[in-house]
Amino acid sequence: DDVTISQIIAQVVGAISFTATAGLSTTAGEILLDLGGALLVNQSVNTGNADLRVTMRGNLSQSATGTLVAGNLGIRQEAAAGLIDLHAGNDLDTVALFNAANGGTITVNDVDGFIIGTVSARNIDGCSFAETVGVLTTDGDVMVATAAELLIMQSIDAGTANVRIMASGDVSQLPNGSIMANELGVRQEGQTGDIHLCAANDVDVVALHNAASAGDVAFSDIDDLILGRVATQLTGGVAFTETIGLTTNNGIGFLAAGAGLTLTDRVATGSAAALLIANGDLTQTTGAGITAGQLGVRQESTIDGRIQLDAGNMVATFAAFNAFDSGTATFNNNGDLEVGTGNGLLGPLDHAGSDVDSQHLGAAVHRHCRRVATTAAHVEKGGSRGDLCGIEHGLEQGLVHGLLHVGPVV
């Protein structure tokens, strides 16, 4: 049946007295609950640093006073319908959550940082809990929030649903901590902290924001990836703000896709570098401009792929590479541009054999004079407004390709 964790008032009957008791608590002893119905937590459950394991069949929800305090928290919702809603000010070290319901959601909030990990199986006198690894739903949304850092040691898998993450500190993952979802939104809201999510993630759409001064954002995906937007969501008192594109406060922005990469919303890294890697077409739609101090772009597929970044970009330095022998590169910039080394992490504008047409230059263009000329490609410097340093003198290594626009597209 359904259970509510609440409080019992004090009572005295003759010489026998009962002290008022609220919630569940131990002195560093574990708690295991195996319930046939739903669970409502109206008063706190506190095991100190010990484990708290709950298996139920129905909703698990909590009020503001129903906080959970534990070393390891494992929750399993085993029914065909049910949600896990832990939006109060919980204090947990490691969390593992499972929801078997089709479309059943998971929300977890923590006050001081936690790990998404593993909670082992346990059986006490017929009450049982199955091992639970990471955060798993059956196509239900996942919301993870913490007032400090988040370490993803085991995977978050929402199937075809969406994952939203909020932290005030580092958001990072280990190799086993991959994220699978339709949409992934990540917000780092603290004064310090980086977003480093470079495991074998598999999402369709991603949106990333880092508010920290010079805080970096790095994300990689195993196949096609769209940089887009993830909508606002409110669960209990946990609110995720709509997140658009990739934005930093003068911190590096890095995106890598195992196949094509499409920018449908902005990349804005202030004075820092934006670094983009694809293994297929790397393109942007109108309005998905890139604003950065430096922009480095690599298309790594030797089978097929083009670079087409012809929206209203505004960068100071540009460097690009296309590994496909017949691949093209188009770049439009609304201002002066230096074609260079991409923050030292990427080579200059290189290619394996196509022509450069730089005749549509709308502002000054400066090029570093190392590894920037061509031996097999034909280079045109048409028009008098551009200055392509050293190109007409025949350079040494590397091949230049593509169509480079600076200023208005003609």
Side-chain angles (χ1 to χ4, degrees):
D1 289 340
D2 297 345
V3 171
T4 298
I5 296 175
S6 187
Q7 57 185 341
I8 305 296
I9 62 173
Q11 188 168 0
V12 178
V13 179
I16 301 174
S17 64
F18 180 86
T19 302
T21 303
L24 302 176
S25 64
T26 67
T27 305
E30 64 182 302
I31 293 177
L32 172 58
L33 301 176
D34 189 353
L35 310 176
L39 175 62
L40 172 60
V41 186
N42 279 336
Q43 295 293 328
S44 67
V45 180
N46 190 337
T47 66
N49 292 322
D51 297 344
L52 171 58
R53 296 174 174 87
V54 180
T55 302
M56 74 284 180
R57 284 89 183 163
N59 294 338
L60 191 161
S61 54
Q62 63 183 165
S63 64
T65 55
T67 56
L68 306 181
V69 180
N72 296 321
L73 172 68
I75 304 287
R76 297 186 64 85
Q77 194 297 112
E78 301 279 9
L83 57 81
I84 298 172
D85 179 6
L86 300 175
H87 64 266
N90 306 295
D91 188 357
L92 312 163
D93 296 332
T94 299
V95 167
L97 308 168
F98 168 75
N99 194 339
N102 187 23
T105 60
I106 290 177
T107 300
V108 60
N109 182 47
D110 182 87
V111 297
D112 64 357
F114 67 99
I115 295 168
I116 293 177
T118 300
V119 176
S120 61
R122 192 77 166 100
N123 189 296
I124 302 176
D125 295 333
C127 295
S128 63
F129 179 88
E131 181 183 56
T132 304
V133 180
V135 175
L136 175 62
T137 69
T138 307
D139 300 325
D141 284 354
V142 172
M143 172 119 53
V144 176
T146 176
E149 67 281 349
L150 175 68
L151 173 59
I152 306 170
M153 293 183 65
Q154 298 292 342
S155 64
I156 300 174
D157 188 348
T160 60
N162 303 326
V163 172
R164 294 171 173 86
I165 295 173
M166 292 173 292
S168 291
D170 291 337
V171 179
S172 58
Q173 63 187 163
L174 298 185
N176 287 337
S178 54
I179 301 171
M180 283 75 74
N182 175 31
E183 297 180 356
L184 170 65
V186 183
R187 297 186 66 84
Q188 194 298 112
E189 302 282 11
Q191 293 183 353
T192 61
D194 297 320
I195 298 171
H196 288 168
L197 299 174
C198 295
N201 303 299
D202 188 2
V203 306
D204 298 326
V205 178
V206 69
L208 307 153
H209 169 74
N210 193 340
S213 178
D216 297 336
V217 169
F219 180 80
S220 64
D221 187 88
I222 62 172
D223 54 15
D224 290 317
L225 180 65
I226 295 171
L227 179 69
R229 60 183 62 196
V230 176
T232 298
Q233 184 166 315
L234 176 65
T235 302
V238 180
F240 180 90
T241 303
E242 182 183 40
T243 303
I244 300 173
L246 187 161
T247 57
T248 71
N249 183 6
N250 299 313
I252 292 172
F254 173 85
L255 278 181
L261 174 60
T262 303
L263 312 181
T264 63
D265 274 296
R266 65 182 182 235
V267 176
T269 61
S271 61
L275 308 172
L276 309 176
I277 299 176
N279 284 268
D281 290 343
L282 200 164
T283 61
Q284 64 186 162
T285 61
T286 303
I290 301 169
T291 304
Q294 298 171 311
L295 173 62
V297 181
R298 294 185 69 88
Q299 193 296 111
E300 301 281 9
S301 173
T302 59
I303 299 173
D304 193 14
R306 76 189 193 279
I307 298 169
Q308 187 165 345
L309 300 174
D310 50 7
N313 304 299
M314 179 69 76
V315 306
T317 302
F318 176 66
F321 170 80
N322 193 336
F324 178 43
D325 188 59
S326 300
T328 60
T330 302
F331 179 70
N332 176 52
N333 199 61
N334 292 334
D336 291 355
L337 181 68
E338 179 176 317
V339 181
T341 57
N343 200 35
L345 301 178
L346 299 171
L349 188 65
D350 293 338
H351 181 249
S354 295
D355 291 347
V356 167
D357 179 357
S358 58
Q359 64 183 1
H360 300 306
L361 301 180
V365 177
H366 306 283
R367 182 176 198 105
H368 288 311
C369 291
R370 57 179 181 179
R371 294 174 51 231
V372 294
T374 176
T375 55
H378 173 65
V379 179
E380 293 181 13
K381 182 173 178 287
S384 59
R385 291 177 294 171
D387 176 18
L388 294 180
C389 159
I391 286 243
E392 58 268 56
H393 300 300
L395 305 172
E396 304 154 348
Q397 294 180 350
L399 300 170
V400 189
H401 80 296
L403 176 63
L404 176 65
H405 279 150
V406 183
V409 177
V410 213

